[in-house]
Amino acid sequence: MKRIEREKVIRNAYRSTILLLTVCCIFLGFVLVIHETAREYEVKVLERELEAKGVVQNKEGLYTGVQLFLPEKIYVASGVTLELYNSQISSLGMRIDDYHVKWTCAVGKNMQRKFSVTGTEELIGSYPLIFTIFDDNGTQVAKTSTELKIVPSVEESFSLLTLGDSLSCETATYERLNELTDGHIIYMGTRGAGGSLMEARRGFSAADYLSSTGYTQDEPVEEVHPFYNEETGSFDWGYYKETTGFDPDAVEIFLGTNGLDTDPVENGRNIVKIVKNIHEQDPGVPVYLVHTLYPANQDGIGSWSNKDGYALYGDRYKYEEDRKVFNLMIYLEENLKDEEQLYFVPAGICHDSANNFDTESEPVNPHSDRTVEVPNNAVHPGTAGYRQIADCLYSVICGTKSEWE
């Protein structure tokens, strides 16, 4: 009897031990699942933080703080010199001077701060163009490439309507386009003067064109811009064409400066809405979307003021302003990459923001006879800048006009 009771006790102890071990295993498994979930969450949080700081994961799985942007194609028209500026192609901005840059191409010039190429009849064709960044150890940090296409000039006449902000108001752009086309472009719009008609409004953002915004900065004053249809309560390309009688062969959209933010979504989404509306109502019309410009240097940003002396960009700094432009380029290219009859104009990377802003001489300090040249505007370049924009737009038109329906 005692033996039976002893065996019973042993069996119960064994079962209890097995049960306890099972519970422990389940508990440990549960703890491991929670730990792994927490670790994955921490990794995602870290990735978001890194991304917010401009740190991205490359194809090899290594994290790098450098993002690069080049469009799929770079067009250069015969007779035009186009330049691509190193600091405006990467997320580094001016910090790219701390690295070593190489442009690789069968044509053009691999220079210290830029790539420069002049289109000629003899060079018409396509060339691989590679942009590479190295550190001081000669290690490759980042690399991207594009197709450089040198194309013939356009000879036939066409009409163009420009929808934009103050960067589209300057007549130097249209004068340069007239030089390049021998006056073959017919400009359309309710604003402008003489042959330089357009739909450009100072201070306007894409959001303004999507709403019932009035305009008072120039004559004629408008209670609401002509793209707004009160019946639909929105931007309406068909309504604009019907009420104005304009039916252009091509449309240029040059927006983005007003509304710039480090988060490009709101501004970019509004620009996308305008493009989509035009193509919904007019699928065959080619749209040329011009990337907005990088601002002047910090002296230009910091000293830009209104007529009363109040700072216009008092709390802004060069690197952040550059990132705003860079982020918007990336957003638009990604969200409109499948849009037919849409052509990007890479003016943002082809405009010499280091040298194209008009300057004024100022003493290096209040009591010194020495002077320094300081940009007198942070956003609007001088004549040379507008002519570079025209060269870029013209080159893209020359390279794509054969695709118009």
Side-chain angles (χ1 to χ4, degrees):
M1 187 69 180
K2 291 182 178 179
R3 184 174 64 84
I4 294 174
E5 290 179 354
R6 186 167 54 250
E7 290 177 350
K8 185 178 180 180
V9 170
I10 292 172
R11 283 197 301 270
N12 289 338
Y14 176 77
R15 289 171 181 168
S16 298
T17 302
I18 294 298
L19 180 61
L20 179 61
L21 289 174
T22 301
V23 171
C24 288
C25 288
I26 293 174
F27 177 75
L28 288 174
F30 183 68
V31 170
L32 288 173
V33 168
I34 294 177
H35 176 74
E36 182 63 21
T37 302
R39 190 188 71 82
E40 291 178 357
Y41 175 76
E42 290 176 356
V43 169
K44 289 181 179 179
V45 170
L46 177 60
E47 287 176 346
R48 286 198 296 266
E49 291 176 351
L50 290 172
E51 184 178 357
K53 295 177 181 178
V55 181
V56 296
Q57 191 174 23
N58 62 23
K59 293 179 180 179
E60 290 73 32
L62 301 175
Y63 283 96
T64 173
V66 181
Q67 289 176 276
L68 301 180
F69 166 75
L70 280 177
E72 291 185 3
K73 297 178 182 178
I74 296 285
Y75 295 99
V76 184
S78 178
V80 167
T81 296
L82 205 72
E83 296 188 333
L84 311 176
Y85 296 92
N86 300 348
S87 64
Q88 293 161 193
I89 287 164
S90 81
S91 58
L92 290 167
M94 300 305 297
R95 293 184 299 158
I96 202 168
D97 292 340
D98 297 330
Y99 294 81
H100 307 278
V101 171
K102 179 178 71 172
W103 290 94
T104 304
C105 191
V107 298
K109 303 175 183 178
N110 174 24
M111 304 179 76
Q112 181 175 350
R113 67 184 187 95
K114 63 185 179 182
F115 174 79
S116 179
V117 59
T118 300
T120 66
E121 294 293 327
E122 294 75 18
L123 293 178
I124 288 176
S126 297
Y127 306 88
L129 175 61
I130 304 170
F131 179 73
T132 314
I133 300 177
F134 303 92
D135 63 17
D136 285 340
N137 296 318
T139 302
Q140 180 178 303
V141 175
K143 180 180 181 180
T144 191
S145 62
T146 184
E147 180 184 6
L148 178 68
K149 294 178 69 72
I150 298 180
V151 296
S153 57
V154 168
E155 296 181 356
E156 61 271 21
S157 177
F158 64 93
S159 57
L160 178 69
L161 185 144
T162 297
L163 172 65
D165 50 34
S166 57
L167 291 173
S168 299
C169 291
E170 176 56 52
T171 58
T173 301
Y174 307 99
E175 291 169 358
R176 175 57 176 165
L177 287 171
N178 288 336
E179 289 179 19
L180 293 168
T181 63
D182 197 22
H184 284 168
I185 300 179
I186 302 167
Y187 301 102
M188 292 184 173
T190 61
R191 308 198 66 85
S196 300
L197 298 179
M198 78 287 281
E199 292 292 351
R201 291 164 178 81
R202 303 179 195 278
F204 257 48
S205 66
D208 289 317
Y209 280 109
L210 291 170
S211 59
S212 57
T213 311
Y215 185 67
T216 59
Q217 291 199 37
D218 300 303
E219 295 290 340
V221 171
E222 300 168 339
E223 291 186 6
V224 62
H225 62 83
F227 294 94
Y228 185 77
N229 185 345
E230 291 185 0
E231 293 186 2
T232 61
S234 64
F235 178 97
D236 190 330
W237 175 249
Y239 171 80
Y240 171 83
K241 289 175 61 176
E242 180 181 351
T243 55
T244 64
F246 293 128
D247 188 10
D249 294 321
V251 176
E252 174 197 3
I253 297 177
F254 194 178
L255 293 168
T257 292
N258 301 306
L260 270 180
D261 199 346
T262 48
D263 182 352
V265 173
E266 182 178 358
N267 195 14
R269 184 185 294 144
N270 289 334
I271 295 173
V272 170
K273 286 180 181 178
I274 291 175
V275 172
K276 296 283 188 181
N277 182 274
I278 292 174
H279 274 162
E280 284 171 3
Q281 303 190 45
D282 202 349
V285 68
V287 174
Y288 289 85
L289 183 57
V290 185
H291 287 309
T292 198
L293 306 184
Y294 283 86
N297 62 25
Q298 186 59 47
D299 285 342
I301 293 172
S303 62
W304 193 28
S305 61
N306 65 15
K307 62 181 180 180
D308 297 319
Y310 288 95
L312 294 174
Y313 276 7
D315 62 341
R316 302 189 186 185
Y317 61 102
K318 174 66 173 170
Y319 176 68
E320 184 178 53
E321 295 306 299
D322 284 354
R323 279 309 302 255
K324 292 176 182 179
V325 175
F326 185 85
N327 292 346
L328 182 61
M329 284 195 301
I330 299 295
Y331 180 90
L332 292 174
E333 294 270 345
E334 178 63 26
N335 286 272
L336 287 170
K337 61 183 179 182
D338 297 324
E339 187 78 8
E340 296 183 0
Q341 295 293 97
L342 175 72
Y343 307 100
F344 291 103
V345 179
I349 64 176
C350 295
H351 171 258
D352 189 359
S353 63
N355 296 292
N356 277 344
F357 291 91
D358 291 339
T359 62
E360 297 176 350
S361 294
E362 292 186 2
V364 294
N365 65 61
H367 301 286
S368 176
D369 293 331
R370 293 177 55 196
T371 60
V372 62
E373 293 296 315
V374 175
N376 57 19
N377 195 300
V379 172
H380 308 98
T383 298
Y386 290 109
R387 291 175 68 86
Q388 270 195 311
I389 297 168
D391 287 349
C392 190
L393 172 61
Y394 172 72
S395 291
V396 179
I397 291 175
C398 288
T400 58
K401 192 172 185 302
S402 61
E403 301 173 16
W404 294 6
E405 295 181 359

